[in-house]
Amino acid sequence: MKVEAKVLLSLGLFFGIMCAVYWNWSLENAGGVMMFAGMLLCFLPGGYYYWWSRRMKARPEDNPYATQAEGAGVVGSFPGTSIWPFTLGMGAFFVVLALVFGIWFLVPGLALVVWALLGGTAEGRRGGHV
Amino acid sequence: MTDVVNPPATAPAEDHAHDEHHGPTGILKWMTTTDHKIIGLSYTVTSVLMLVIGGLFAEIIRGQLASPNSSLVSLAQYNELFTMHGSVMIYLFAGPFAFGGLANIIVPIQIGAPDMAFPRLNALSYWLYLTGAITMLLGFFTAGGAANFGWVAYAPLSNSINTPGAGADLWIGGLLLTGFSAIFTGVNLTATIFYLRAPGMTMFRMPIFTWNMLVTGILILLAFPVLTAGLVMLYCDRHFGTHIYSVAGGGVPVLWQHIFWFWGHPEVYILALPFFGMVTEIIAVFSRKPVFGYKGMVFATLSIAALSLGVWAHHMFTTGVVLLPFFSIMSLLIAVPTGIKIFNWIGTMWRGEVWFSTAMLMALGFLVTFLVGGLTGIYLASPPLDFFTHDTYFVVAHFHSVVMALVLGGMGGLYYWGPKITGYLLNERIGKIQFWFLFIGTQVFTVPQYILGLLGMPRRIAVYPNNPQWKALNDWSSLGAALIGISTILFVINVIVSWKKYPAGDNPWDAQTLEWFTTSPPPHHNFYRLPQIRSERPTWDYNHPEHKSLAHGQHDTAVHADEVKVP
């Protein structure tokens, strides 16, 4: 976890320095704000990982001498198949078409989106449709 | 030690492998799958289709430019063609092919993961990409035609007065969908690499391709939301009466350029880094050596990511409102890590047993073409030279050198990983002919454009004065485009000719990384068993215990591999 944290924190640090130099030199706000936001986007997860990396034991994937047996067990619950991403994607498609061709496209679009959100959540609670 | 094989780290794998036999088949399987390999394959096929569509637009453009004052297409059609050529190639081919296609399939296998971290989000990414592509291309079927403001959609050209019509809105809508698709893929890649590595696969043992995809994922998360926000504001300007990019209402048109290129320049590295990774893997495997300067490669990739956030306004030198020295220095600096990479690629080949397979030839073609594109990029980073060449064919030639290098690298990736994905090799003879067409075609296509640019030919013009010098150079460029077109046809022929003909086996190239340890194609959830991981080349260490990888800095010279059969 330490390396992951350091990657993000060092990127964030660089963006911060670059932001300070750029903003003070150019006095141009759009780029300054975007670089500042880039710094925050790196510090937020990077700081979280760093905070955790000091409090947890090294995971098997962080230990250069780990054996495969150390990783045995359940990695996580992976869904087998699911129709809901497709439903949600089509819903988003219709919502975007509503932006262009007419507001009535929102009706099937939002219906599909809501249906997919409900279905996907229910599926997630059941542990996935396999 | 290396021959000890433990049961898989992924206990549920057996259950799911069993379950898949009961799952849906046919089109329902395609619609409901959450398997990263099938999603990645869908991405790959769709994006190669986009390459063909974008390539057809390019061939029509080059046909129009083959003679001065040509009337192959109308001026309005020409505007649509170059807009959609750029949009299809950048938004719908290059990125999705790399981070949605090959990375989606290869990254989880390279780190020993059973799937992507969020399989259903991964499937959603694909559906948003597919519908986004359809949305963007729908523009051709509307009354006003497709978007025609160039792939950069500069304000105020992109407002509702200068470019009214559904085509432009469909372009914005399509980009919103593909933008979210890219963001979700970025989340997925980052989470997968951070959380699903196999035991012993420390960060500094990940293959360079996976490292590059991690950095690509982070860059996607930094850059794409900016574009998506910018597009929402553009849509509001067009339809809801806001004045964010219009001077009339107190807005700032150049803000669009800032937002667009704040996405657009990291995007160049989002496109390039995956291909850098592919080429690194290919060169190491076909030189039968570990990657030279592994840590240098990783730090070069991270430096490119770090610098890429501070170079966007080198696209805006001629606007007169950007800080020239800052952006010039940053753009020149980014050549340093890129140079380190090229040095390391050459170092990897140095004293290796180079095997000139199709994949290796493509990677070498990438190296040469990218070097040309990269060096001309250094010229363009200098404001005085940029003032002279901005919006001329010099710039067109520069970025076509770069992106054609990526096409070469991507083809190398398909020849290299295709056997792992499908279980069958492609024909090497046709592949090599394809390589020469693609490589020579690329140079014949771009080099005359550099000269045309220096002679002053502007980009995005459908007709040009009848000047014999310009005509000859444009003819050469069109000939190059035709050669590239033939190479694409040869690739399609190769896929048809080699269809299920040359079984690949698990490890046809005697490669080094974890994806070559499992079967071809890999089973559901990827691994029946995993080797002990003690270096960045676990498969090599397992297959060649006598030539195991040494600690960093103590690499042996080239080692002799067993003979490998090629079709």
Side-chain angles (χ1 to χ4, degrees), chain B residues 264-481:
Chain B
H265 209 85
E267 164 73 359
V268 173
Y269 296 101
I270 291 168
L271 299 184
L273 287 176
F275 295 92
F276 289 177
M278 288 176 208
V279 166
T280 311
E281 303 281 313
I282 292 169
I283 288 180
V285 165
F286 293 103
S287 304
R288 319 230 143 273
K289 278 178 65 187
V291 175
F292 174 80
Y294 173 90
K295 284 198 172 169
M297 278 305 224
V298 171
F299 286 117
T301 307
L302 285 169
S303 322
I304 289 176
L307 290 166
S308 76
L309 224 63
V311 297
W312 77 91
H314 68 209
H315 298 266
M316 302 161 58
F317 281 161
T318 53
T319 57
V321 294
V322 297
L323 188 61
L324 296 178
F326 179 83
F327 290 107
S328 182
I329 292 166
M330 298 303 271
S331 309
L332 290 169
L333 269 180
I334 216 160
V336 176
T338 318
I340 292 173
K341 279 179 176 279
I342 290 182
F343 180 79
N344 283 355
W345 287 324
I346 295 169
T348 307
M349 283 183 280
W350 188 258
R351 298 183 68 188
E353 276 184 15
V354 179
W355 171 14
F356 291 101
S357 68
T358 307
M360 183 65 172
L361 287 175
M362 293 284 186
L364 294 175
F366 163 90
L367 213 66
V368 173
T369 315
F370 188 79
L371 192 62
V372 175
L375 286 176
T376 51
I378 298 176
Y379 303 169
L380 289 170
S382 157
L385 277 170
D386 185 78
F387 291 152
F388 180 63
T389 52
H390 188 80
D391 263 348
T392 70
Y393 260 82
F394 191 85
V395 175
V396 176
H398 155 67
F399 67 71
H400 278 89
S401 282
V402 173
V403 292
M404 284 310 297
L406 306 186
V407 172
L408 278 156
M411 281 292 167
L414 283 180
Y415 275 90
Y416 175 59
W417 278 313
K420 177 51 63 185
I421 297 164
T422 62
Y424 293 93
L425 293 156
L426 287 164
N427 187 305
E428 284 282 304
R429 186 184 295 266
I430 303 178
K432 282 174 187 165
I433 300 170
Q434 184 206 347
F435 163 73
W436 287 111
F437 269 95
L438 185 55
F439 181 66
I440 295 171
T442 300
Q443 315 311 329
V444 174
F445 166 66
T446 52
V447 172
Q449 291 187 356
Y450 285 113
I451 307 167
L452 270 172
L454 294 176
L455 291 174
M457 179 163 164
R459 64 194 282 205
R460 295 178 176 148
I461 53 166
V463 290
Y464 53 92
N466 193 357
N467 171 336
Q469 206 179 4
W470 282 24
K471 173 164 170 26
L473 289 166
N474 270 307
D475 284 350
W476 278 104
S477 192
S478 295
L479 173 71

Side-chain angles (χ1 to χ4, degrees), chain B residues 61 63 74 91 128 150 164 168 190 205 213 219 277 301 365 380 461 465 488 496 498 522 549:
Chain B
I61 290 171
S74 72
Y91 305 117
L128 293 181
T190 316
R205 281 180 188 163
M213 289 321 302
L219 277 182
T301 307
L380 289 170
I461 53 166
T488 313
I496 295 167
S498 323
S549 301

Side-chain angles (χ1 to χ4, degrees), chain A residues 49-69:
Chain A
Y49 289 150
Y50 184 73
W51 189 82
W52 265 110
S53 70
R54 293 172 59 88
R55 276 160 188 78
M56 62 192 262
K57 243 172 46 186
R59 301 170 300 168
E61 56 261 49
D62 297 328
N63 172 10
Y65 302 104
T67 59
Q68 292 306 330

Side-chain angles (χ1 to χ4, degrees), chain A residues 79-86 129, chain B residues 20 24-42 115 118-127 524:
Chain A
T81 58
S82 172
I83 190 68
W84 302 115
F86 177 78
H129 172 74
Chain B
E20 201 188 29
T25 53
I27 191 156
L28 203 61
K29 180 179 172 187
W30 179 61
M31 279 163 54
T32 59
T33 187
T34 53
D35 183 344
H36 72 102
K37 296 182 289 294
I38 301 173
I39 296 168
L41 194 59
S42 307
D115 202 319
F118 308 112
R120 284 182 289 183
L121 190 69
N122 197 15
L124 178 63
S125 285
Y126 174 70
W127 296 115
H524 198 54

Side-chain angles (χ1 to χ4, degrees), chain A residues 4 15 18 22 31 34-35 41 49 59-62 64-66 68 71 73 75 78-82 93 96 99 123, chain B residues 6 9 11 16 32 34 116 120 135 173 194-197 199-202 205 221 235 262 306 312 327 330 531 534:
Chain A
E4 287 90 330
F15 294 154
M18 201 163 60
Y22 175 75
M34 288 189 282
M35 276 199 230
L41 194 64
Y49 289 150
R59 301 170 300 168
E61 56 261 49
D62 297 328
Y65 302 104
Q68 292 306 330
V75 174
F78 290 89
T81 58
S82 172
F93 182 38
V96 163
L99 293 176
E123 185 185 72
Chain B
N6 290 299
H16 285 294
T32 59
T34 53
M116 288 291 239
R120 284 182 289 183
T135 308
F194 279 177
Y195 284 103
L196 284 180
R197 303 195 306 275
M201 178 62 80
T202 59
R205 281 180 188 163
L221 295 181
Y235 186 83
F262 195 84
W312 77 91
F327 290 107
M330 298 303 271
R534 288 291 174 269

